[in-house]
Amino acid sequence: MKDAYSFHTSQESLDEEFLNMRNAYSRIFTRCGLKFRPVDADSGNIGGSGSQEFQVLAESGEDEIIYSDGSEYAANIEKAVSELINPPKEELKEVELVHTPDCPTIESLAKYLDVPLERTVKALTYKDMGTDEIYLVLIRGDFEVNEVKLKNILNAVEVEMATDEEIEKLGLKKGYIGPYKLPTKIKIVADLSVPEISNHIVGSHQKDYHYKNVNYGRDYTADIVADIRTAKVGENCIIGGKLHSARGIECGQIFKLGDKYSKAMNATYLDENGKTQYMLMGCYGIGVTRTMAAAIEQNNDENGIIWPVSIAPYTVDVIPANIKNEVQVSLAEKIYNELEEEKIDAMLDDRDEKPGFKFKDADLIGFPFKIVVGKRADEGIVELKIRRTGETLELPQNEIIAKIKELMKIY
């Protein structure tokens, strides 16, 4: 890791340095030749008031990124938000208990009653793994709970679904849980969508029965109402455009830590009035080896790695086709020495192997350029092969260094 920390006497100063580091990291990843996005991210256990990740885009990435096609908005799925559009309001109706045989899932319930999923509210039971307290979590039937958002709302280290045994101990009936006429005392967390759905359908705590026309505020309330849903592809972005999804590899992250750690360590300073104040902190990190691995994920083909020039361990592989040909070997050594004099990282492959074997190795390792000194060596002509495009150029030996320098600015 490359780690850095900053210390400040005001929020404005911290915000300014956070932006400086965001811009610096963006330049670093750009110079590494990577396709990446800075995205809003959850601060996790590190904490603080704000965080951004630098996600290198790759199909093999472990993270899902949500981004807008109409704005600069981008966020990790753990943090992403979207515009909430609820079904139209209806005149409130009286609660009704209805028979719903074999409908333990929200999908089977909506199908049986022939109602849209957005008119239902599903109830899930989650446990705070730090305190063992169990919460009833409510969300619109077509939405999914974002467990990271839920964890943060509860200020929990981790949350997990309650087990069947824990649900039964509370007197709840799995598949038929709801907030109306709860048979046990349990704290309720409701997504922002729930209070807006008039006459919704919920579980009745009885097998094969549900309540219709239940309304938030009139029939029940929640202890916490907050955004706990997972944003979805196709929804409207809160600042314009539609949301899309991509996979990413997190290679860097920056945090506004605030005074979380300075308070814990009693790290203080005296302000201009001689008063003791806690320092405000920022934290910034890049995964160096992870960035290298991500570069390979983005830059490869069936033959091996295709290193961007800026981070290639070696830029040029100089290959004499026939190691027993003195003219080829002499010219290859001359070109290699000239590259070294120009501070261009190069290797001389003087192994006594067939040319095809050495070419395959060069492609596998990912040298941006190969210089092949072959049968035209006695004319002073060599081949320059560009790894990324597969293009081959025949050039006089005295032009090869200038051409390499030119191509290094492109690749």
Side-chain angles (χ1 to χ4, degrees):
M1 287 290 296
K2 179 222 74 74
D3 272 345
Y5 296 86
S6 61
F7 301 85
H8 308 269
T9 61
S10 70
Q11 185 64 45
E12 293 75 18
S13 175
L14 173 56
D15 292 345
E16 182 181 358
E17 188 60 18
F18 186 86
L19 181 59
N20 286 341
M21 293 300 286
R22 183 187 190 278
N23 293 337
Y25 276 28
S26 294
R27 291 193 296 272
I28 288 169
F29 289 116
T30 298
R31 288 177 66 183
C32 285
L34 300 174
K35 297 181 183 122
F36 71 96
R37 290 201 74 143
V39 304
D40 292 340
D42 177 58
S43 295
N45 294 333
I46 290 177
S49 62
S51 171
Q52 284 201 325
E53 293 170 344
F54 290 79
Q55 293 277 356
V56 174
L57 304 180
E59 285 300 316
S60 59
E62 71 272 31
D63 290 330
E64 183 178 1
I65 303 161
I66 298 293
Y67 66 94
S68 170
D69 61 11
S71 69
E72 290 296 311
Y73 181 78
N76 191 302
I77 190 68
E78 298 174 343
K79 185 83 172 180
V81 295
S82 61
E83 183 183 354
L84 175 60
I85 302 175
N86 270 314
K89 290 282 191 179
E90 297 177 343
E91 184 177 342
L92 302 193
K93 300 174 184 177
E94 289 300 314
V95 176
E96 181 183 349
L97 184 66
V98 291
H99 188 219
T100 52
D102 300 318
C103 295
T105 67
I106 206 72
E107 291 79 14
S108 59
L109 174 67
K111 183 177 180 181
Y112 180 81
L113 294 177
D114 193 24
V115 296
L117 273 173
E118 57 263 32
R119 288 284 180 190
T120 67
V121 170
K122 57 186 174 186
L124 305 159
T125 48
Y126 276 92
K127 181 166 75 169
D128 180 335
M129 300 304 292
T131 65
D132 286 338
E133 183 169 4
I134 294 177
Y135 295 84
L136 184 63
V137 178
L138 308 177
I139 195 163
R140 205 172 86 179
D142 57 334
F143 291 156
E144 297 298 328
V145 172
N146 185 313
E147 293 184 355
V148 174
K149 290 182 181 180
L150 177 62
K151 176 191 75 172
N152 292 337
I153 290 297
L154 298 178
N155 197 28
V157 174
E158 199 57 70
V159 294
E160 283 186 5
M161 295 282 285
T163 65
D164 291 355
E165 183 180 359
E166 289 167 332
I167 291 170
E168 288 175 12
K169 280 184 179 178
L170 289 169
L172 303 175
K173 187 73 176 175
K174 186 179 179 181
Y176 298 90
I177 302 172
Y180 181 57
K181 293 188 176 180
L182 263 173
T184 186
K185 187 171 177 57
I186 184 174
K187 285 185 179 177
I188 300 176
V189 181
D191 180 62
L192 292 173
S193 58
V194 172
E196 303 302 316
I197 313 168
S198 48
N199 301 320
H200 50 260
I201 300 165
V202 300
S204 69
H205 316 292
Q206 307 172 57
K207 182 175 169 56
D208 295 336
Y209 285 89
H210 284 81
Y211 285 116
K212 286 175 60 177
N213 306 326
V214 175
N215 287 275
Y216 184 90
R218 184 192 71 180
D219 303 314
Y220 71 93
T221 58
D223 299 277
I224 301 171
V225 179
D227 171 25
I228 55 168
R229 68 189 178 93
T230 300
K232 295 189 293 187
V233 171
E235 292 181 329
N236 292 336
C237 177
I238 56 172
I239 55 175
K242 293 285 186 182
L243 295 181
H244 298 265
S245 174
R247 305 300 300 182
I249 302 169
E250 180 202 336
C251 290
Q253 192 164 6
I254 55 178
F255 301 86
K256 296 179 184 178
L257 299 177
D259 60 9
K260 177 178 178 179
Y261 295 98
S262 55
K263 276 186 175 177
M265 296 185 290
N266 198 31
T268 62
Y269 68 96
L270 294 178
D271 67 14
E272 63 272 20
N273 299 314
K275 287 188 65 177
T276 299
Q277 305 285 358
Y278 288 107
M279 300 175 187
L280 300 180
M281 292 177 61
C283 174
Y284 321 92
I286 288 179
V288 179
T289 49
R290 182 174 261 258
T291 299
M292 185 175 74
I296 295 171
E297 290 293 334
Q298 267 190 0
N299 298 278
N300 67 82
D301 61 14
E302 66 276 8
N303 296 314
I305 303 169
I306 307 173
W307 284 110
V309 168
S310 59
I311 56 174
Y314 291 90
T315 305
V316 184
D317 191 15
V318 183
I319 305 173
N322 183 357
I323 198 67
K324 295 181 172 62
N325 184 305
E326 291 183 7
V327 175
Q328 291 183 20
V329 171
S330 176
L331 183 54
E333 289 177 345
K334 184 175 187 300
I335 292 170
Y336 170 75
N337 290 329
E338 288 175 354
L339 289 165
E340 289 288 289
E341 287 171 9
E342 294 293 327
K343 307 299 183 187
I344 298 171
D345 290 329
M347 287 191 71
L348 176 64
D349 191 346
D350 56 1
R351 294 176 296 170
D352 188 8
E353 299 284 358
K354 291 181 179 179
F357 183 86
K358 294 196 272 191
F359 298 160
K360 282 288 187 183
D361 270 3
D363 286 345
L364 180 66
I365 294 168
F367 292 94
F369 310 108
K370 294 195 295 282
I371 296 174
V372 180
V373 183
K375 56 188 176 183
R376 297 190 66 185
D378 55 349
E379 303 172 52
I381 303 295
V382 298
E383 289 183 352
L384 172 60
K385 296 191 176 184
I386 303 169
R387 177 72 178 89
R388 189 168 293 278
T389 65
E391 184 181 4
T392 300
L393 308 173
E394 281 198 337
L395 295 168
Q397 173 265 324
N398 59 0
E399 295 180 13
I400 198 74
I401 301 297
K403 190 63 179 178
I404 289 287
K405 286 182 175 180
E406 177 189 324
L407 292 173
M408 285 173 66
K409 296 176 183 176
I410 301 172
Y411 301 106

